[in-house]
Coordinates of all heavy atoms in Angstrom, one line a residue:
M1237 N 0.8 -1.2 0.0 CA 0.0 0.0 0.0 C 0.9 1.2 0.0 O 1.7 1.4 0.9 CB -0.9 0.0 1.2 CG -1.9 1.1 1.2 SD -3.0 1.0 2.7 CE -3.9 -0.6 2.3
V1238 N 0.7 2.1 -1.0 CA 1.6 3.3 -1.1 C 0.8 4.6 -0.9 O 1.3 5.7 -1.2 CB 2.3 3.3 -2.5 CG1 3.3 2.2 -2.5 CG2 1.3 3.2 -3.6
E1239 N -0.5 4.5 -0.5 CA -1.2 5.7 -0.3 C -0.5 6.6 0.8 O -0.2 6.1 1.9 CB -2.6 5.4 0.2 CG -3.5 5.0 -1.0 CD -5.0 4.8 -0.5 OE1 -5.6 5.8 -0.3 OE2 -5.4 3.7 -0.3
E1240 N -0.4 7.8 0.6 CA 0.3 8.7 1.6 C -0.7 9.8 2.0 O -0.3 10.8 2.6 CB 1.5 9.3 1.0 CG 2.5 8.3 0.4 CD 3.8 8.4 1.1 OE1 4.1 9.4 1.7 OE2 4.6 7.4 0.9
T1241 N -2.0 9.6 1.7 CA -2.9 10.7 2.0 C -3.1 10.8 3.5 O -3.1 9.8 4.2 CB -4.3 10.3 1.4 OG1 -4.1 9.8 0.1 CG2 -5.2 11.5 1.4
T1242 N -3.2 12.0 4.0 CA -3.4 12.3 5.4 C -4.7 13.2 5.5 O -5.1 13.8 4.6 CB -2.2 12.9 6.1 OG1 -2.0 14.2 5.5 CG2 -1.0 12.1 6.0
R1243 N -5.2 13.2 6.7 CA -6.3 14.1 7.0 C -6.2 14.5 8.5 O -5.6 13.7 9.3 CB -7.7 13.4 6.7 CG -7.9 12.2 7.5 CD -9.4 11.8 7.5 NE -9.9 11.5 6.1 CZ -11.1 10.9 5.9 NH1 -11.9 10.7 6.9 NH2 -11.4 10.6 4.7
P1244 N -6.8 15.6 8.8 CA -6.8 16.0 10.3 C -7.7 15.0 11.1 O -8.7 14.6 10.6 CB -7.4 17.4 10.3 CG -7.5 17.8 8.9 CD -7.5 16.6 8.0
C1245 N -7.2 14.7 12.3 CA -8.0 13.9 13.2 C -9.2 14.7 13.7 O -9.0 15.8 14.1 CB -7.2 13.4 14.3 SG -8.1 12.4 15.5
P1246 N -10.4 14.1 13.6 CA -11.6 14.9 14.1 C -11.6 14.9 15.7 O -12.4 15.8 16.2 CB -12.8 14.0 13.6 CG -12.3 12.7 13.4 CD -10.8 12.8 13.0
S1247 N -10.9 14.1 16.3 CA -10.9 14.1 17.8 C -9.8 14.8 18.5 O -9.9 15.2 19.6 CB -10.9 12.6 18.3 OG -12.0 11.9 17.8
C1248 N -8.7 15.1 17.8 CA -7.6 15.8 18.4 C -6.9 16.5 17.3 O -7.4 16.6 16.2 CB -6.6 14.8 19.1 SG -5.7 13.7 18.0
D1249 N -5.7 17.1 17.5 CA -5.0 17.8 16.5 C -4.0 17.0 15.7 O -3.2 17.5 15.0 CB -4.3 19.0 17.2 CG -5.3 20.1 17.7 OD1 -6.4 20.2 17.1 OD2 -4.9 20.8 18.6
G1250 N -4.2 15.7 15.8 CA -3.2 14.8 15.2 C -3.5 14.6 13.7 O -4.4 15.2 13.1
V1251 N -2.7 13.8 13.1 CA -2.8 13.5 11.7 C -3.2 12.1 11.5 O -2.7 11.2 12.2 CB -1.4 13.7 11.0 CG1 -1.5 13.3 9.6 CG2 -0.9 15.2 11.1
M1252 N -4.2 11.9 10.7 CA -4.6 10.5 10.4 C -4.1 10.1 9.0 O -4.0 10.9 8.1 CB -6.2 10.5 10.3 CG -6.8 10.9 11.6 SD -8.6 10.4 11.5 CE -8.6 9.2 12.8
R1253 N -3.7 8.8 9.0 CA -3.2 8.2 7.8 C -4.0 7.0 7.4 O -4.4 6.2 8.3 CB -1.7 7.8 8.0 CG -0.8 9.0 8.1 CD 0.7 8.6 8.1 NE 1.5 9.7 8.0 CZ 1.8 10.5 9.0 NH1 1.4 10.3 10.2 NH2 2.6 11.6 8.8
R1254 N -4.1 6.7 6.1 CA -4.7 5.5 5.7 C -3.7 4.3 6.0 O -2.5 4.5 5.8 CB -4.9 5.5 4.1 CG -6.1 6.3 3.6 CD -7.4 5.6 4.0 NE -7.5 4.3 3.6 CZ -8.6 3.5 3.8 NH1 -9.7 4.0 4.4 NH2 -8.7 2.3 3.3
G1255 N -4.3 3.3 6.4 CA -3.4 2.1 6.7 C -4.2 1.0 7.2 O -5.5 1.0 7.3
V1256 N -3.5 -0.1 7.5 CA -4.1 -1.3 8.1 C -3.6 -1.5 9.5 O -2.4 -1.4 9.7 CB -3.8 -2.5 7.2 CG1 -4.4 -3.8 7.9 CG2 -4.4 -2.4 5.8
Q1257 N -4.5 -1.7 10.4 CA -4.1 -1.8 11.8 C -4.8 -3.0 12.4 O -6.0 -3.3 12.1 CB -4.6 -0.5 12.5 CG -4.2 -0.5 14.0 CD -4.4 1.0 14.5 OE1 -3.7 1.9 14.1 NE2 -5.3 1.1 15.4
E1258 N -4.1 -3.7 13.3 CA -4.7 -4.8 13.9 C -5.8 -4.4 14.9 O -5.5 -3.5 15.8 CB -3.6 -5.6 14.7 CG -4.0 -7.1 14.9 CD -2.7 -7.9 15.3 OE1 -2.3 -7.8 16.5 OE2 -2.2 -8.6 14.5
E1259 N -7.0 -5.0 14.8 CA -8.1 -4.7 15.7 C -8.6 -6.0 16.3 O -8.5 -7.0 15.7 CB -9.2 -4.0 14.9 CG -8.9 -2.6 14.4 CD -9.0 -1.5 15.4 OE1 -9.5 -1.8 16.5 OE2 -8.7 -0.4 15.1
T1260 N -9.1 -5.9 17.5 CA -9.7 -7.0 18.2 C -11.1 -6.7 18.5 O -11.4 -5.6 19.1 CB -8.9 -7.4 19.4 OG1 -7.6 -7.7 19.0 CG2 -9.5 -8.6 20.1
V1261 N -12.0 -7.6 18.2 CA -13.4 -7.4 18.6 C -13.7 -8.6 19.6 O -13.2 -9.7 19.4 CB -14.4 -7.5 17.4 CG1 -14.3 -6.2 16.6 CG2 -14.3 -8.7 16.6
T1262 N -14.5 -8.3 20.5 CA -14.9 -9.3 21.5 C -16.4 -9.3 21.6 O -17.1 -8.3 21.5 CB -14.3 -9.0 22.9 OG1 -14.7 -7.7 23.3 CG2 -12.8 -9.1 22.9
F1263 N -17.0 -10.5 21.8 CA -18.4 -10.7 22.0 C -18.6 -11.9 22.9 O -18.2 -13.0 22.5 CB -19.1 -10.8 20.6 CG -20.6 -11.0 20.7 CD1 -21.4 -9.9 20.9 CD2 -21.2 -12.2 20.6 CE1 -22.8 -10.0 21.0 CE2 -22.5 -12.4 20.7 CZ -23.4 -11.3 20.9
Q1264 N -19.2 -11.7 24.0 CA -19.6 -12.8 24.9 C -18.4 -13.8 25.1 O -18.6 -15.0 25.0 CB -20.8 -13.6 24.4 CG -22.1 -12.7 24.4 CD -23.3 -13.5 24.0 OE1 -23.2 -14.6 23.5 NE2 -24.5 -12.8 24.1
G1265 N -17.3 -13.2 25.4 CA -16.1 -14.1 25.7 C -15.3 -14.5 24.6 O -14.2 -15.0 24.7
E1266 N -15.8 -14.4 23.4 CA -15.1 -14.7 22.2 C -14.4 -13.5 21.7 O -14.9 -12.4 21.7 CB -16.0 -15.3 21.1 CG -16.6 -16.6 21.4 CD -15.7 -17.7 21.3 OE1 -14.7 -17.7 20.6 OE2 -15.9 -18.7 22.0
S1267 N -13.1 -13.6 21.2 CA -12.5 -12.5 20.6 C -11.9 -12.9 19.3 O -11.5 -14.0 19.0 CB -11.4 -12.0 21.5 OG -10.4 -12.9 21.7
L1268 N -11.7 -11.9 18.4 CA -11.2 -12.1 17.1 C -10.3 -10.9 16.7 O -10.7 -9.8 16.9 CB -12.3 -12.2 16.1 CG -11.9 -12.3 14.6 CD1 -11.2 -13.6 14.3 CD2 -13.1 -12.1 13.7
T1269 N -9.1 -11.2 16.3 CA -8.2 -10.2 15.9 C -8.1 -10.2 14.4 O -7.9 -11.3 13.8 CB -6.8 -10.4 16.6 OG1 -6.9 -10.3 18.0 CG2 -5.8 -9.3 16.1
Y1270 N -8.2 -9.1 13.8 CA -8.2 -9.0 12.3 C -7.5 -7.7 11.9 O -7.2 -6.8 12.7 CB -9.6 -9.1 11.8 CG -10.4 -7.9 12.1 CD1 -10.7 -6.9 11.2 CD2 -10.9 -7.7 13.4 CE1 -11.4 -5.8 11.5 CE2 -11.7 -6.6 13.7 CZ -11.9 -5.6 12.7 OH -12.7 -4.5 13.0
Q1271 N -7.2 -7.6 10.6 CA -6.6 -6.5 10.0 C -7.6 -5.5 9.5 O -8.4 -5.8 8.6 CB -5.6 -6.9 8.9 CG -4.6 -7.9 9.3 CD -3.6 -7.3 10.3 OE1 -3.1 -6.2 10.0 NE2 -3.3 -8.0 11.3
Q1272 N -7.7 -4.4 10.1 CA -8.7 -3.4 9.8 C -8.1 -2.2 9.0 O -7.3 -1.4 9.5 CB -9.3 -2.8 11.1 CG -10.3 -1.7 10.9 CD -11.5 -2.1 10.2 OE1 -12.3 -2.9 10.7 NE2 -11.7 -1.6 8.9
P1273 N -8.5 -2.1 7.7 CA -8.1 -0.9 7.0 C -8.9 0.3 7.4 O -10.1 0.2 7.8 CB -8.5 -1.3 5.5 CG -9.2 -2.6 5.5 CD -9.4 -3.0 7.0
G1274 N -8.3 1.4 7.3 CA -9.0 2.7 7.7 C -8.1 3.8 7.9 O -6.9 3.7 7.6
W1275 N -8.6 4.8 8.5 CA -7.8 6.0 8.9 C -7.5 5.8 10.4 O -8.3 5.6 11.2 CB -8.6 7.3 8.7 CG -8.9 7.6 7.3 CD1 -10.0 7.1 6.6 CD2 -8.1 8.3 6.4 NE1 -9.9 7.6 5.3 CE2 -8.8 8.3 5.1 CE3 -6.9 9.0 6.5 CZ2 -8.3 9.0 4.0 CZ3 -6.4 9.7 5.4 CH2 -7.1 9.7 4.2
H1276 N -6.2 6.0 10.7 CA -5.8 5.8 12.1 C -5.0 7.1 12.5 O -4.1 7.5 11.8 CB -4.9 4.6 12.2 CG -5.6 3.3 11.8 ND1 -6.6 2.8 12.5 CD2 -5.5 2.6 10.6 CE1 -7.1 1.7 11.9 NE2 -6.4 1.6 10.7
C1277 N -5.3 7.6 13.7 CA -4.7 8.7 14.2 C -3.3 8.4 14.7 O -3.1 7.4 15.4 CB -5.5 9.3 15.4 SG -4.8 10.7 16.1
E1278 N -2.3 9.3 14.4 CA -1.0 9.1 14.9 C -0.9 9.1 16.4 O 0.1 8.7 17.0 CB 0.0 10.1 14.2 CG -0.3 11.5 14.7 CD 0.7 12.5 14.1 OE1 1.5 12.1 13.3 OE2 0.5 13.7 14.5
N1279 N -1.9 9.7 17.0 CA -1.8 9.9 18.5 C -2.4 8.7 19.2 O -2.5 8.7 20.5 CB -2.5 11.2 18.9 CG -1.7 12.4 18.5 OD1 -0.5 12.3 18.3 ND2 -2.4 13.5 18.2
G1280 N -2.9 7.7 18.5 CA -3.3 6.5 19.3 C -4.6 6.0 18.8 O -4.7 5.4 17.7
D1281 N -5.6 6.1 19.7 CA -6.8 5.3 19.6 C -7.8 5.7 18.5 O -8.7 5.0 18.2 CB -7.5 5.2 20.9 CG -6.7 4.4 21.9 OD1 -5.9 3.6 21.5 OD2 -6.9 4.6 23.1
D1282 N -7.7 7.0 18.1 CA -8.8 7.4 17.2 C -8.7 6.7 15.8 O -7.6 6.5 15.3 CB -8.6 8.9 16.9 CG -8.7 9.7 18.2 OD1 -9.5 9.3 19.1 OD2 -8.0 10.7 18.4
G1283 N -9.9 6.4 15.3 CA -9.9 5.8 14.0 C -11.2 6.1 13.3 O -12.2 6.3 13.9
V1284 N -11.1 6.2 12.0 CA -12.3 6.5 11.2 C -12.4 5.4 10.1 O -11.4 5.2 9.4 CB -12.2 7.9 10.6 CG1 -13.4 8.1 9.6 CG2 -12.3 8.9 11.6
L1285 N -13.6 4.8 9.9 CA -13.8 3.9 8.8 C -14.7 4.5 7.8 O -15.6 5.2 8.2 CB -14.5 2.6 9.4 CG -13.8 1.9 10.5 CD1 -14.5 0.6 10.9 CD2 -12.3 1.6 10.2
E1286 N -14.4 4.2 6.6 CA -15.3 4.8 5.5 C -15.4 3.8 4.4 O -14.5 3.0 4.2 CB -14.8 6.1 5.0 CG -13.4 6.0 4.4 CD -12.9 7.4 3.9 OE1 -13.4 8.4 4.4 OE2 -12.0 7.4 3.1
G1287 N -16.5 3.8 3.7 CA -16.8 3.0 2.6 C -16.6 1.5 2.9 O -17.1 1.0 3.9
S1288 N -15.8 0.8 2.2 CA -15.6 -0.6 2.3 C -14.9 -1.0 3.6 O -14.8 -2.2 4.0 CB -14.9 -1.2 1.1 OG -13.6 -0.7 1.0
D1289 N -14.2 0.0 4.3 CA -13.6 -0.3 5.5 C -14.6 -0.9 6.5 O -14.3 -1.8 7.3 CB -13.1 1.0 6.2 CG -12.0 1.7 5.4 OD1 -11.4 1.0 4.5 OD2 -11.8 2.8 5.6
N1290 N -15.9 -0.5 6.4 CA -16.9 -1.0 7.3 C -17.2 -2.4 7.0 O -17.7 -3.1 7.9 CB -18.2 -0.1 7.2 CG -18.0 1.3 7.7 OD1 -17.8 1.4 8.9 ND2 -17.9 2.2 6.9
D1291 N -17.0 -2.9 5.8 CA -17.2 -4.3 5.5 C -16.3 -5.2 6.4 O -16.7 -6.3 6.8 CB -16.9 -4.6 4.0 CG -17.9 -3.9 3.1 OD1 -19.0 -3.4 3.6 OD2 -17.6 -3.7 1.9
Y1292 N -15.1 -4.8 6.6 CA -14.2 -5.6 7.4 C -14.7 -5.6 8.9 O -14.7 -6.6 9.5 CB -12.8 -5.0 7.4 CG -12.1 -5.2 6.0 CD1 -12.3 -4.3 5.0 CD2 -11.2 -6.2 5.9 CE1 -11.7 -4.4 3.8 CE2 -10.5 -6.4 4.6 CZ -10.8 -5.5 3.6 OH -10.2 -5.6 2.4
A1293 N -15.1 -4.5 9.3 CA -15.6 -4.4 10.7 C -16.8 -5.2 10.9 O -17.0 -6.0 11.9 CB -15.8 -2.9 11.1
D1294 N -17.7 -5.1 9.9 CA -19.0 -5.9 10.0 C -18.7 -7.4 9.9 O -19.2 -8.2 10.7 CB -19.9 -5.6 8.8 CG -20.5 -4.2 9.0 OD1 -20.5 -3.6 10.1 OD2 -21.1 -3.7 8.0
A1295 N -17.8 -7.8 9.0 CA -17.4 -9.2 8.9 C -16.8 -9.7 10.2 O -17.2 -10.8 10.6 CB -16.5 -9.4 7.7
A1296 N -16.0 -9.0 10.8 CA -15.3 -9.4 12.0 C -16.3 -9.5 13.1 O -16.3 -10.5 13.9 CB -14.2 -8.4 12.4
L1297 N -17.2 -8.6 13.2 CA -18.3 -8.6 14.3 C -19.2 -9.8 14.1 O -19.5 -10.6 15.0 CB -19.1 -7.3 14.3 CG -20.1 -7.2 15.4 CD1 -19.4 -7.3 16.8 CD2 -20.9 -5.9 15.3
H1298 N -19.6 -10.0 12.8 CA -20.5 -11.2 12.6 C -19.8 -12.5 12.9 O -20.3 -13.4 13.4 CB -21.0 -11.2 11.1 CG -22.0 -10.1 10.8 ND1 -22.0 -9.5 9.6 CD2 -22.9 -9.5 11.6 CE1 -23.0 -8.5 9.7 NE2 -23.5 -8.5 10.9
E1299 N -18.5 -12.5 12.6 CA -17.7 -13.7 12.8 C -17.6 -14.0 14.3 O -17.8 -15.2 14.7 CB -16.3 -13.5 12.2 CG -15.3 -14.6 12.6 CD -15.6 -15.9 11.9 OE1 -16.3 -15.9 10.9 OE2 -15.1 -16.9 12.4
V1300 N -17.3 -13.0 15.1 CA -17.1 -13.3 16.5 C -18.5 -13.6 17.2 O -18.5 -14.4 18.1 CB -16.4 -12.1 17.2 CG1 -17.3 -10.9 17.5 CG2 -15.7 -12.5 18.5
M1301 N -19.5 -13.0 16.7 CA -20.9 -13.4 17.2 C -21.2 -14.8 16.8 O -21.8 -15.5 17.7 CB -21.9 -12.4 16.6 CG -21.8 -11.0 17.2 SD -22.9 -9.8 16.4 CE -24.5 -10.4 17.1
A1302 N -20.8 -15.2 15.6 CA -21.1 -16.6 15.2 C -20.3 -17.6 16.1 O -20.8 -18.7 16.5 CB -20.8 -16.8 13.8
R1303 N -19.1 -17.2 16.4 CA -18.2 -18.1 17.2 C -18.8 -18.2 18.6 O -18.9 -19.3 19.2 CB -16.8 -17.5 17.4 CG -16.0 -17.7 16.1 CD -14.6 -17.3 16.4 NE -13.8 -17.2 15.1 CZ -12.5 -17.0 15.1 NH1 -11.8 -16.8 16.2 NH2 -11.9 -16.9 13.9
A1304 N -19.4 -17.1 19.1 CA -20.0 -17.1 20.5 C -21.2 -18.1 20.5 O -21.5 -18.7 21.5 CB -20.4 -15.7 20.9
K1305 N -21.8 -18.2 19.3 CA -23.0 -19.1 19.2 C -22.6 -20.4 18.7 O -23.5 -21.3 18.4 CB -24.0 -18.5 18.3 CG -24.6 -17.2 18.8 CD -25.5 -16.5 17.7 CE -25.9 -15.1 18.1 NZ -26.5 -14.4 16.9
H1306 N -21.3 -20.7 18.5 CA -20.8 -21.9 18.0 C -21.4 -22.3 16.7 O -21.7 -23.4 16.4 CB -21.1 -23.1 19.0 CG -20.5 -22.7 20.4 ND1 -19.1 -22.7 20.6 CD2 -21.0 -22.4 21.5 CE1 -18.9 -22.4 21.9 NE2 -20.0 -22.2 22.5
S1307 N -21.6 -21.3 15.8 CA -22.1 -21.5 14.5 C -21.3 -20.7 13.5 O -21.8 -19.7 13.0 CB -23.6 -21.3 14.4 OG -23.9 -19.9 14.8
P1308 N -20.1 -21.0 13.3 CA -19.2 -20.2 12.4 C -19.9 -20.0 11.0 O -20.5 -21.0 10.4 CB -17.9 -21.0 12.3 CG -18.1 -22.2 13.0 CD -19.4 -22.2 13.8
I1309 N -19.8 -18.8 10.5 CA -20.4 -18.5 9.2 C -19.4 -18.1 8.1 O -19.8 -17.8 7.0 CB -21.5 -17.4 9.4 CG1 -20.8 -16.2 10.0 CG2 -22.6 -17.9 10.2 CD1 -21.7 -14.9 10.0
S1310 N -18.2 -18.0 8.5 CA -17.2 -17.5 7.6 C -16.0 -18.4 7.4 O -15.7 -19.1 8.2 CB -16.8 -16.1 8.1 OG -15.4 -16.0 8.0
P1311 N -15.5 -18.4 6.2 CA -14.3 -19.2 5.9 C -13.1 -18.8 6.7 O -12.1 -19.4 6.7 CB -14.0 -19.0 4.4 CG -14.8 -17.8 4.0 CD -15.9 -17.6 5.0
L1312 N -13.2 -17.6 7.4 CA -12.1 -17.2 8.3 C -11.9 -18.2 9.4 O -10.8 -18.4 10.0 CB -12.4 -15.9 8.9 CG -12.3 -14.7 8.0 CD1 -12.8 -13.4 8.7 CD2 -10.8 -14.4 7.6
T1313 N -13.0 -19.0 9.7 CA -12.9 -19.9 10.9 C -12.6 -21.3 10.4 O -13.2 -21.8 9.5 CB -14.3 -20.0 11.5 OG1 -14.6 -18.7 12.0 CG2 -14.3 -20.9 12.7
R1314 N -11.6 -21.9 11.0 CA -11.2 -23.2 10.7 C -12.3 -24.2 11.3 O -12.7 -24.0 12.4 CB -9.9 -23.6 11.3 CG -8.7 -22.8 10.7 CD -7.4 -23.2 11.4 NE -6.4 -22.1 11.2 CZ -6.2 -21.2 12.1 NH1 -6.9 -21.2 13.2 NH2 -5.3 -20.3 12.0
S1315 N -12.6 -25.2 10.6 CA -13.5 -26.2 11.2 C -12.7 -27.1 12.2 O -11.5 -27.3 12.0 CB -14.1 -27.1 10.1 OG -13.1 -27.6 9.3
H1316 N -13.3 -27.6 13.2 CA -12.6 -28.4 14.2 C -12.6 -29.8 13.8 O -13.6 -30.3 13.3 CB -13.4 -28.2 15.5 CG -13.4 -26.8 16.0 ND1 -12.3 -26.2 16.6 CD2 -14.4 -25.9 15.9 CE1 -12.7 -24.9 16.9 NE2 -13.9 -24.7 16.5
Ligands
ZN984 ZN1 -6.6 11.8 17.2

């Protein structure tokens, strides 16, 4: 990825950059770590998702919910 676009952070005076960052979602004791594309603030926790970035977040959330219910729905999950 060679995008160098930046934008001001809406939460602080920092600079946001496009990139991929490891994110972890948890649901009822299950957790899933995945690579989340989006805008990430250089100062830490702030992040903005736009467009297809949300597809990753949605997929991760659905996945971890399915794991909590013991009914995996995505090929991300290995069968036991
Ligand atoms: Zn910020």
Side-chain angles (χ1 to χ4, degrees):
M1237 187 175 295
V1238 290
E1239 285 185 76
E1240 305 238 346
T1241 317
T1242 62
R1243 62 163 64 169
C1245 176
S1247 301
C1248 70
D1249 290 330
V1251 175
M1252 299 193 114
R1253 289 187 172 80
R1254 281 294 302 182
V1256 175
Q1257 184 165 293
E1258 203 166 77
E1259 294 277 352
T1260 300
V1261 292
T1262 57
F1263 180 80
Q1264 293 184 354
E1266 293 287 332
S1267 68
L1268 172 69
T1269 301
Y1270 66 103
Q1271 300 296 312
Q1272 174 66 65
W1275 294 89
H1276 301 288
C1277 178
E1278 65 178 4
N1279 289 334
D1281 292 337
D1282 300 323
V1284 172
L1285 305 183
E1286 63 183 14
S1288 63
D1289 298 342
N1290 290 292
D1291 295 343
Y1292 289 82
D1294 286 349
L1297 184 59
H1298 289 148
E1299 171 71 20
V1300 78
M1301 288 173 73
R1303 286 189 191 186
K1305 295 172 188 168
H1306 304 291
S1307 57
I1309 54 170
S1310 135
L1312 288 171
T1313 300
R1314 295 181 203 92
S1315 55
H1316 300 282

